[in-house]
Amino acid sequence: NPTVSHSQGHNSSGTPTNWDHYYSNTLSQTVPIAGQLGYRQQVAEANRTAAEGVFQLRDVSLQLAVLRAYSRLLAAQYRVSFTRQDLLSLEEAVDVLRKRVSSGATAQYDLVRGELEAERIRTDLSDALADEKSSREELRKAIGPAAPAGLFAAAPVDLSPSYAEIDALTTSALISRGDLKAARALSGGAEASAALARREVVPDLTFSLGLLNSAGPSSTDILAGVSVPIPVFRRGQGTIQAARATADAAQFDVQALETRIPTEVIRAIAVYQQRRTERDRYQTTVKQRAEKLLRIAQASYKEGARGILELVDAYRTSREVRLRDLELRTSVEAAGFDIAEAVGDVTAYAVTASR
């Protein structure tokens, strides 16, 4: 920025007139002659781009926090749902047992065994409801002020999308990751700062132009000048080396991220694919057989071919299988979120996030 200066004084001796008054107004402008302004602009632009990368990384993290909380609430709701179904089915069986005990067709032991199992499922339902409440509050916290007030339920959605090939995801990560964008911008800014440190050694020129007015006799003079600082004491000792070291460190950070990111993506995809394979295998083999076992046990119990112990065992097996299936499903979803985090993009969940 230009500098405006004003000075005035009185001459108390000499000729032609004692105590004559004078004043001057001067405009000065410093002009960098070694391109410092351009490098300063590069540094400022790099800092702006780095801030955008950090903001993008934070935005992805917040969206994934919402999706993870949503996934946990879905799992908690599903657990509550099938636990209630199990309790209702077992209570129906216990009612049948009471009638049989009253008629003398069944031993008291079977009734007590069925009632104890029903109480155990009621306890499981209480735990499931508490987990559902906790998950709902976690989701409300992740959403923030926009979260709905009061009770709300998570609509069932598919949180295990099909991802692209590893090469495509790796390329996307090296382009989209906010932390890598920020690191590259900071590296570019550090290089500009190092170049600026070298140019700062070159002195700037300061041009000045002004008017000198005096009285006694009255006169107006034009002033013009140029000044150049002489770098006697400060010649960039240490500053250039420090800026160069900072730029080298920033470049190493970029290289480290460029090496680490593909590894993170490959590992996340491998875990995701393995968990999806295990989930699909479990659903098509174990889960279907457990459902068939429960249907057989219920039918046999109603026909009197099986006792309460076999029915209770079938219920327990069915619950264990469904809990394991739920665990596998949520683990697949968690692995998918890890891929999105590794890539730095939640596009695969765009539909879900918009809801």
Side-chain angles (χ1 to χ4, degrees):
N1 293 321
T3 301
V4 177
S5 61
H6 172 80
S7 61
Q8 62 182 14
H10 298 273
N11 185 13
S12 60
S13 62
T15 58
T17 305
N18 290 337
W19 297 101
D20 59 332
H21 176 73
Y22 67 90
Y23 63 91
S24 65
N25 295 305
T26 306
L27 176 67
S28 302
Q29 176 65 58
T30 299
V31 179
I33 61 175
Q36 294 96 320
L37 287 178
Y39 286 112
R40 289 178 187 138
Q41 290 175 352
Q42 291 180 30
V43 173
E45 180 65 21
N47 290 334
R48 183 188 66 81
T49 304
E52 290 177 350
V54 172
F55 177 81
Q56 176 187 335
L57 184 68
R58 179 60 176 165
D59 182 59
V60 169
S61 176
L62 290 174
Q63 292 187 61
L64 285 174
V66 173
L67 288 169
R68 287 187 171 103
Y70 198 92
S71 171
R72 284 189 284 270
L73 179 55
L74 280 176
Q77 289 179 174
Y78 180 69
R79 180 186 172 193
V80 168
S81 176
F82 72 67
T83 303
R84 278 179 173 156
Q85 291 175 0
D86 288 349
L87 182 59
L88 288 173
S89 298
L90 191 56
E91 284 177 340
E92 291 177 359
V94 170
D95 289 339
V96 173
L97 276 173
R98 288 194 182 99
K99 295 177 181 178
R100 290 181 178 178
V101 170
S102 299
S103 64
T106 302
Q108 185 72 25
Y109 173 84
D110 289 346
L111 176 59
V112 173
R113 186 68 185 84
E115 289 175 339
L116 287 175
E117 185 64 20
E119 286 300 324
R120 189 185 70 82
I121 295 180
R122 287 190 186 95
T123 302
D124 289 347
L125 178 59
S126 178
D127 292 341
L129 288 170
D131 184 48
E132 181 187 34
K133 181 179 180 181
S134 175
S135 299
R136 184 178 293 108
E137 292 305 314
E138 182 182 357
L139 177 58
R140 193 194 310 276
K141 181 179 178 181
I143 295 174
L151 293 176
F152 63 91
V157 291
D158 183 12
L159 293 176
S160 55
S162 298
Y163 279 98
E165 297 297 328
I166 292 179
D167 292 342
L169 286 172
T170 302
T171 301
S172 177
L174 292 174
I175 297 174
S176 303
R177 279 273 292 253
D179 52 349
L180 183 55
K181 285 183 179 179
R184 285 169 174 166
L186 291 176
S187 177
E191 289 291 342
S193 295
L196 178 61
R198 293 192 299 270
R199 299 296 180 92
E200 292 283 9
V201 178
V202 180
D204 297 336
L205 297 180
T206 301
F207 298 93
S208 58
L209 181 65
L211 296 175
L212 174 63
N213 295 279
S214 61
S218 177
S219 66
T220 300
D221 300 312
I222 297 177
L223 303 176
V226 61
S227 62
V228 181
I230 301 175
V232 176
F233 302 104
R234 182 177 178 274
R235 300 187 299 275
Q237 304 95 321
T239 305
I240 297 175
Q241 292 85 345
R244 183 67 261 162
T246 301
D248 291 341
Q251 182 59 35
F252 290 149
D253 290 340
V254 172
Q255 293 173 354
L257 277 173
E258 289 176 342
T259 302
R260 193 182 74 205
I261 286 175
T263 303
E264 292 178 352
V265 173
I266 292 172
R267 181 173 63 246
I269 293 175
V271 172
Y272 183 72
Q273 292 174 340
Q274 189 276 330
R275 289 183 179 177
R276 282 197 66 169
T277 300
E278 176 60 18
R279 180 204 63 184
D280 295 343
R281 184 198 67 80
Y282 196 85
Q283 289 180 343
T284 55
T285 56
V286 180
K287 187 180 178 182
Q288 290 182 2
R289 276 191 262 175
E291 292 172 349
K292 182 179 180 180
L293 173 65
L294 181 59
R295 288 194 299 268
I296 293 174
Q298 289 173 332
S300 299
Y301 177 76
K302 290 179 181 178
E303 295 171 357
R306 299 285 181 180
I308 188 65
L309 292 180
E310 288 83 357
L311 181 62
V312 167
D313 180 68
Y315 273 120
R316 282 194 173 186
T317 301
S318 175
R319 280 183 55 75
E320 290 173 358
V321 169
R322 281 183 289 182
L323 286 171
R324 177 56 180 165
D325 176 63
L326 181 60
E327 180 183 340
L328 290 172
R329 286 163 53 187
T330 54
S331 69
V332 170
E333 293 171 359
F337 300 146
D338 290 341
I339 293 179
E341 186 174 22
V343 176
D345 185 14
V346 293
T347 303
Y349 301 96
V351 176
T352 302
S354 66
R355 296 180 182 178

